[in-house]
Amino acid sequence: DAGSSVEEMEFNWDEYLEDTGAIAAPHGSFKHVDTSLQNGFAPGMKLEVAVKSDQNTYWVATIITTCGQLLLLRYDGYGEDRKADFWCDILTADLHPIGWCEQNKKILKVPEGIKDKIPDQEEFLQRVLKGACSAPANLLEGLHRGKNPLDLIAPGSRLELQNIRDSLEAWIVTVVENVGGRLKLRYEGLEDLDTFDQWLFYLDPFLHQVGWAAQHGYSLQPPLAIRSLRSEADWQEILKKVKEEEEESSVPTDLFKDKPVIRVHSFSEGMKLEAVDPLAPFVISPATVLKVYNDKYFLIEMDDLRPERAAGQRYVCHTDSAGIFPVQWSLKNGLHLSPPPGYPGQDFDWADYLKQCGAEAAPQSCFPLLTSDHGFKENMKLEAVNPVDPEEVCIATITKLKDSYLWLQLEGSKKPVPECIVSVESMNIFPVGWCETNGYQLRPPRKAIVNKQKKIAVVQPEKQILSSRTVHDGLKNQELNSSDSVVINGKYCCPKIYFNHRCFSGPYLNKGRIAELPQSVGPGNCVLVLKEVLTLLINAAYKPSRVLRELQLDEEAAWHGHGETLKAKYKGKSYRATVEVVRTADRVADFCRKTCIKLECCPNLFGPQMVLDKCSENCSVLTKTKYTHYYGKRKNKRIGRPPGGHSNMEAAMKKPNKRRKRRKHFFVHKKKRSSTSVDNTPAGSPQVSEKKSLSSSPTQSELSHSLAQDRDKRKRKLRTFSFSDDENKPPSPKDIKMEVAEKLQLDSNPLEWSVADVVRFLKSTDCAPLARIFLDQEIDGQALLLLTLPTVQECMDLKLGPAIKLCHHIERVKLAFYQQFAN
């Protein structure tokens, strides 16, 4: 906006949640989003698949999990053995419904790997296929093969939209845009006129496939608001054109199979109730059933007692419509009921009002039962549509909950909006990250907490990302190995993660709290889904800080995923640690299993597979002692700082009424907490705090602690770097050999230098006072080699002179690296 002071930069949900101290609403609470991500295939479905070793033969396989157009399959006969699981692309793989081989005279033959397990092929097939559910044929063959149902609603597709002002009428709408199932719709005949455009989720009960109106006896007429824009002859011509092009622009009818069913209502004309106007959902006010159309629909009018007002706000409802309540519902829930405009005084009384109007209240039986079992809680964050401007999707905070309704405060809207009242089943609310996943602009808060481009000098090995197009073009036998990373339509898609409450919960997790967890989380963005799963597990622990420590990133292990900051609270203290999560769906199952084993619980406690009757690990018969023995005793982790000289887990005393400071960017001068950490006492607590030296160089105790651990680490790696362990002495000539031309001779590869190694090198130069910055910002050898003069000046806040002097030494290290180690 003109004159706006909001910085137009990328908004970062993680930083925002940390700044506000809030948590995201659980993904599983948004049922419409969950439905939109389903591709028609489900775990447990069976199909016939070409055998890799012999393309002329086929065998029955079961779907283990799905991710976009990819299926994780296991040939029947492998039982619970996951080693032979493989990914297939629906678009390219030789996949067919059950019975296809028999119909097409193809050979069903047991794969070599399980030949010994299946002596009688016919008997085995009869047994496994009895009562089995086959994968849908239309999803494996024809034009719709491999497509997510949502992809079938493309721009230009046509639908029929009931008129919310008069449900007996409907008119054709054209899809202008499809954002994750949220459709921008334009009335047919308006062409480029966007004044009357509407945004609706594709599962909205008032949205239908073309032909619905005629099938159910409703008239096909343009709404009154646009009817005068064209002549009657023009509208009829438009209707004729639509019918001629019906096949080209139609949407499959099975796309709407998950729409809520409209139930029969029991309202009568003249009944009074309390209602929220869907076009301005900010207050609850008295309303009247103005008209009953049939057993499905009725018309509600918001009461307006002003003499100059001919008619109040009207809209069509059905029995499960959101925002209608019985008389006195507000009073019983301690909420304010806004009197109708024109009502004398502010003290509204329903008994007097009904008497004055000569009306009766709609009985409780007319309304659906409200539930509080939805997973939402106060102060949770989500993304929500601005009812005043449906183009906007804003950050929203839950300020209040009553039964099945949320009060949302929207942040960042172009114009301030009062608190909105929405149903927990509203299709205008979305989980955190939904906009980012679907490439839609989320309105940032006015005081924008932005993700500035961070100056991170860390070398990470590049990973080859395998797109669905690459899969289509390059993979032989249409099969993905479990090691391949997969991206679907540019989105990292995670399957649904189930919490299998019957499984053994281990020594760290509280069985009672595990039982209270939702049945599942996701599907959605891998990082977001797994972060939510781990957060739920941490909160379900006997000692959340202990579980956080078990999960934190092991710095000696190879890092193949994505670092996420997770938090835990225990005994009034807050803990924080970096935890590694995987980015891609093909690694989710293995990640969940390894995390379960790390927490000494059943490997099936959570993961993309639901345990229905009996766990494959037979964990129900194991006690904690037997279980630990069964899975092997784990190595004791060091308490406090892990190897490498520092811990990535931090904790701070809880300070009431004080907002946490933003995390600072890399290379910013900051005071570090004490390096001492004993047991589970959080760093920075009174027991371990010690006064730090104000000098610009590290203290002796700091360096001696980190050097001792680095020395052990170097011994394990058989490294040859041999700087002196005494920080107050310069390195010996054996370690750094200076030639006349200032060439540097190194005894070890700078790429392998630890932070302490870099600090020791700088202490040997005339830039020793800057060593503290490198220690604080944990700049290791890899980061050192990436530093340039502009980076040093900008990120370290150095003047030109010191920056040039520092870069001179960095260039010497780079030159030595190229001469000695680059080959």
Side-chain angles (χ1 to χ4, degrees):
D1 301 338
S4 172
S5 61
V6 178
E7 195 173 359
E8 287 296 329
M9 297 186 75
E10 182 185 353
F11 172 77
N12 184 287
W13 258 117
D14 286 338
E15 289 188 10
Y16 180 75
L17 290 173
E18 184 169 343
D19 253 22
T20 56
I23 60 172
H27 280 66
S29 297
F30 303 88
K31 296 176 183 176
H32 60 297
V33 177
D34 193 353
T35 301
S36 71
L37 293 172
Q38 296 171 6
N39 63 359
F41 295 94
M45 286 182 176
K46 295 186 182 293
L47 60 168
E48 295 174 354
V49 189
V51 177
K52 181 179 179 181
S53 57
D54 185 355
Q55 288 292 306
N56 295 320
T57 65
Y58 296 79
W59 189 242
V60 175
T62 301
I63 298 174
I64 305 301
T65 192
T66 68
C67 177
Q69 68 192 49
L70 299 177
L71 305 177
L72 182 63
L73 303 177
R74 182 183 304 163
Y75 285 122
D76 283 14
Y78 277 97
E80 297 298 327
D81 186 358
R82 302 165 61 246
K83 293 177 184 176
D85 291 3
F86 58 98
W87 288 93
C88 276
D89 185 343
I90 304 165
L91 281 174
T92 57
D94 198 356
L95 308 174
H96 304 281
I98 296 298
W100 179 86
C101 285
E102 185 178 354
Q103 294 171 7
N104 292 274
K105 303 293 188 283
K106 298 291 183 181
I107 302 170
L108 276 173
K109 185 179 177 183
V110 183
E112 289 295 328
I114 49 174
K115 205 169 185 179
D116 297 339
K117 297 181 180 180
I118 305 174
D120 189 335
Q121 176 176 313
E122 293 301 320
E123 185 274 333
F124 176 81
L125 287 175
Q126 285 182 9
R127 178 161 46 85
V128 298
L129 294 178
K130 186 177 180 181
C133 177
S134 172
N138 66 310
L139 297 178
L140 293 170
E141 300 163 352
L143 294 174
H144 299 163
R145 179 180 181 180
K147 287 190 176 180
N148 185 299
L150 280 187
D151 296 335
L152 304 177
I153 313 179
S157 300
R158 289 194 178 108
L159 298 164
E160 287 182 3
L161 176 62
Q162 283 178 266
N163 184 356
I164 195 171
R165 304 295 175 203
D166 187 346
S167 75
L168 298 184
E169 293 179 349
W171 187 242
I172 312 294
V173 287
T174 302
V175 176
V176 178
E177 194 175 348
N178 179 357
V179 180
R182 189 167 180 255
L183 309 178
K184 186 176 185 180
L185 304 170
R186 183 166 299 164
Y187 285 115
E188 191 70 30
L190 296 191
E191 297 161 347
D192 297 328
L193 183 63
D194 61 0
T195 311
F196 300 95
D197 286 359
Q198 296 187 50
W199 282 93
L200 288 175
F201 203 74
Y202 81 104
L203 294 173
D204 190 285
F206 288 91
L207 197 59
H208 311 278
Q209 70 273 16
V210 172
W212 176 88
Q215 185 180 349
H216 292 82
Y218 295 99
S219 61
L220 211 54
Q221 288 283 346
L224 281 173
I226 67 169
R227 200 171 295 176
S228 60
L229 298 177
R230 288 182 176 273
S231 67
E232 184 61 32
D234 288 341
W235 290 120
Q236 291 303 317
E237 189 63 32
I238 289 167
L239 200 55
K240 181 181 177 183
K241 179 187 174 187
V242 168
K243 289 181 178 178
E244 290 173 355
E245 299 172 355
E246 187 172 333
E247 282 192 20
E248 299 173 18
S249 60
S250 64
V251 171
T253 54
D254 60 353
L255 187 68
F256 300 99
K257 62 181 174 57
D258 296 313
K259 277 180 57 174
V261 177
I262 304 297
R263 299 185 297 129
V264 174
H265 73 81
S266 54
F267 286 92
S268 301
E269 287 184 13
M271 283 182 173
K272 294 284 184 182
L273 65 156
E274 297 180 1
V276 175
D277 182 352
L279 300 180
F282 311 121
V283 295
I284 303 173
S285 302
T288 305
V289 178
L290 191 65
K291 185 177 181 180
V292 173
Y293 294 110
N294 50 33
D295 60 356
K296 297 285 183 70
Y297 300 103
F298 52 96
L299 187 68
I300 277 184
E301 182 179 58
M302 304 302 295
D303 286 0
D304 191 335
L305 307 180
R306 292 174 294 184
E308 70 274 11
R309 184 71 180 268
Q313 190 74 269
R314 299 176 179 182
Y315 59 96
V316 175
C317 286
H318 51 84
T319 190
D320 291 312
S321 286
I324 57 173
F325 314 97
V327 163
Q328 304 284 13
W329 185 82
S330 297
L331 182 65
K332 290 175 184 176
N333 286 278
L335 301 169
H336 175 68
L337 181 71
S338 294
Y343 183 81
Q346 289 297 312
D347 297 328
F348 181 83
D349 182 80
W350 260 115
D352 290 344
Y353 186 63
L354 289 172
K355 191 174 181 180
Q356 291 170 16
C357 298
E360 64 170 327
Q364 179 73 49
S365 58
C366 290
F367 300 88
L369 293 175
L370 301 181
T371 175
S372 56
D373 183 23
H374 43 64
F376 292 106
K377 293 180 182 177
E378 281 188 18
N379 296 320
M380 281 183 170
K381 301 285 184 180
L382 56 140
E383 299 176 4
V385 174
N386 182 353
V388 177
D389 183 0
E391 288 273 350
E392 288 186 354
V393 179
C394 304
I395 294 167
T397 306
I398 300 174
T399 59
K400 186 163 49 184
L401 293 99
K402 293 293 178 184
D403 294 330
S404 302
Y405 288 85
L406 312 173
W407 274 251
L408 300 179
Q409 182 64 59
L410 303 185
E411 300 178 41
S413 55
K414 291 178 184 176
K415 296 179 181 179
V417 180
E419 283 188 350
C420 309
I421 306 169
V422 300
S423 165
V424 295
E425 295 185 353
S426 168
M427 296 182 193
N428 283 326
I429 58 175
F430 304 94
V432 161
W434 184 86
C435 280
E436 182 183 3
T437 301
N438 291 285
Y440 195 77
Q441 177 63 49
L442 175 70
R443 291 288 303 178
R446 293 194 179 279
K447 292 181 180 178
I449 298 166
V450 294
N451 182 23
K452 295 180 181 177
Q453 188 175 2
K454 295 182 179 177
K455 288 79 181 179
I456 305 174
V458 178
V459 177
Q460 290 282 7
E462 292 185 5
K463 296 181 182 179
Q464 183 179 4
I465 300 297
L466 208 61
S467 69
S468 54
R469 186 70 252 169
T470 309
V471 174
H472 185 279
D473 292 341
L475 288 179
K476 293 182 179 180
N477 196 31
Q478 300 83 39
E479 192 171 312
L480 296 175
N481 296 321
S482 60
S483 61
D484 292 325
S485 298
V486 182
V487 179
I488 305 300
N489 297 331
K491 305 166 191 171
Y492 295 94
C493 180
C494 180
K496 188 180 288 188
I497 304 297
Y498 295 96
F499 289 106
N500 296 309
H501 304 121
R502 298 180 184 178
C503 290
F504 180 73
S505 56
Y508 300 127
L509 303 176
N510 186 315
K511 183 72 174 176
R513 292 178 190 166
I514 289 290
E516 294 173 359
L517 296 180
Q519 186 180 15
S520 63
V521 172
N525 179 289
C526 272
V527 172
L528 294 176
V529 170
L530 293 176
K531 185 176 180 180
E532 182 178 343
V533 167
L534 295 180
T535 300
L536 290 170
L537 286 173
I538 290 168
N539 294 335
Y542 291 108
K543 294 182 179 180
S545 57
R546 174 68 188 272
V547 169
L548 183 60
R549 195 177 70 200
E550 295 295 323
L551 294 175
Q552 74 172 330
L553 187 62
D554 184 352
E555 295 186 2
E556 288 209 328
W559 189 11
H560 302 296
H562 173 75
E564 278 292 320
T565 301
L566 297 184
K567 294 179 287 186
K569 290 187 178 181
Y570 183 59
K571 291 188 175 180
K573 296 182 177 69
S574 295
Y575 298 79
R576 187 185 305 166
T578 301
V579 175
E580 181 185 7
V581 295
V582 295
R583 288 175 174 269
T584 51
D586 55 314
R587 297 171 59 198
V588 166
D590 189 55
F591 171 82
C592 293
R593 189 174 181 87
K594 286 179 178 176
T595 304
C596 286
I597 293 173
K598 187 184 291 186
L599 296 179
E600 297 184 30
C601 56
C602 173
N604 291 331
L605 180 67
F606 68 93
Q609 192 168 3
M610 183 190 290
V611 174
L612 297 175
D613 299 318
K614 190 176 180 183
C615 173
S616 59
E617 302 289 337
N618 198 27
C619 66
S620 60
V621 301
L622 298 168
T623 63
K624 289 183 181 180
T625 306
K626 289 179 181 176
Y627 193 84
T628 305
H629 175 77
Y630 178 69
Y631 279 99
K633 300 211 172 185
R634 297 158 65 247
K635 293 179 182 179
N636 291 329
K637 285 194 172 183
R638 294 187 62 172
I639 295 176
R641 293 177 181 270
H646 69 280
S647 169
N648 69 29
M649 183 164 148
E650 300 176 1
M653 291 294 289
K654 196 173 183 180
K655 297 181 181 179
N657 302 324
K658 186 172 181 182
R659 191 174 174 186
R660 280 196 304 272
K661 291 182 179 179
R662 264 193 96 200
R663 284 183 294 171
K664 296 181 181 177
H665 297 304
F666 283 82
F667 303 152
V668 177
H669 297 262
K670 62 180 180 180
K671 292 181 181 178
K672 292 285 279 189
R673 293 189 178 92
S674 164
S675 61
T676 309
S677 179
V678 180
D679 253 351
N680 235 8
T681 309
S685 64
Q687 293 95 317
V688 298
S689 294
E690 59 184 67
K691 198 168 183 180
K692 298 283 239 171
S693 168
L694 295 177
S695 67
S696 59
S697 60
T699 63
Q700 182 72 23
S701 60
E702 285 177 318
L703 285 173
S704 60
H705 179 81
S706 61
L707 287 172
Q709 297 199 30
D710 279 317
R711 191 161 56 246
D712 294 339
K713 190 173 179 181
R714 289 199 304 277
K715 285 178 182 177
R716 285 194 297 273
K717 292 184 177 180
L718 299 178
R719 290 174 59 179
T720 60
F721 201 88
S722 55
F723 278 129
S724 169
D725 288 334
D726 188 347
E727 287 298 318
N728 297 319
K729 294 180 183 179
S732 67
K734 296 178 182 178
D735 302 322
I736 299 182
K737 301 172 183 177
M738 290 288 296
E739 295 182 8
V740 178
E742 286 196 328
K743 285 188 178 179
L744 192 64
Q745 189 69 28
L746 301 176
D747 289 346
S748 68
N749 191 337
L751 280 177
E752 298 177 357
W753 286 7
S754 66
V755 176
D757 293 334
V758 172
V759 168
R760 280 196 298 276
F761 167 72
L762 287 174
K763 292 282 285 182
S764 71
T765 71
D766 55 358
C767 290
L770 302 178
R772 178 58 179 268
I773 301 175
F774 284 72
L775 180 67
D776 282 353
Q777 300 303 328
E778 300 173 359
I779 300 175
D780 60 8
Q782 293 182 357
L784 183 74
L785 294 176
L786 288 176
L787 294 179
T788 61
L789 181 59
T791 309
V792 166
Q793 277 188 278
E794 183 181 352
C795 303
M796 293 188 175
D797 239 1
L798 295 180
K799 292 182 180 179
L800 182 60
I804 290 175
K805 189 186 293 185
L806 175 61
C807 286
H808 170 68
H809 294 295
I810 293 172
E811 291 303 317
R812 290 165 55 215
V813 175
K814 290 181 182 178
L815 181 62
F817 166 71
Y818 289 126
Q819 290 178 340
Q820 295 178 238
F821 302 102
N823 294 327

